[in-house]
């Protein structure tokens, strides 16, 4: 069995740029459609360790959660948040 890893550095949480970078990140793995099929319910579990503001890196940036949810929906999935 082989494993695939995809890494991409981004310097901005600007939504259009973040969305494009996530698509580039997932492309070598088959895109979001490789993981999400139409009708799938997909749990998005952001890191919510503390009540600190997102810039403190103790929580997942809301822009990232939003962008991943958009990709899940585009693949036909139904995202929902959990803790």
């Amino acid at each position: 069995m082989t494993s695939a890893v995809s890494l991409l550095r981004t310097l901005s949480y600007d939504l259009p740029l973040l969305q494009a970078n996530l698509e580039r990140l997932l492309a070598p793995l088959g895109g979001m459609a490789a993981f999400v099929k139409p009708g799938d319910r997909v749990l998005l579990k952001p890191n919510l360790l503390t009540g600190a503001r997102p810039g403190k890196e103790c929580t997942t940036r809301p822009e990232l959660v939003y962008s991943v949810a958009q990709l899940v929906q585009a693949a036909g999935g139904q995202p929902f948040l959990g803790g």
Side-chain angles (χ1 to χ4, degrees):
M1 175 167 65
T2 62
S3 298
V5 175
S6 182
L7 297 172
L8 179 68
R9 183 176 182 178
T10 186
L11 300 175
S12 171
Y13 287 100
D14 174 67
L15 284 175
L17 179 60
L18 184 59
Q19 187 81 21
N21 283 337
L22 283 170
E23 290 173 1
R24 281 184 41 215
L25 177 75
L26 292 171
L29 306 174
M32 185 62 80
F35 304 97
V36 178
K37 304 300 179 219
D40 282 355
R41 292 188 68 217
V42 179
L43 170 65
L44 302 181
K45 188 193 172 300
N47 188 5
L48 302 172
L49 289 178
T50 69
R53 64 185 189 277
K56 290 292 187 182
E57 311 312 334
C58 292
T59 62
T60 304
R61 296 284 301 231
E63 300 92 341
L64 181 60
V65 176
Y66 176 82
S67 293
V68 171
Q70 294 293 307
L71 290 175
V72 168
Q73 287 180 326
Q78 301 171 4
F80 66 99
L81 293 177

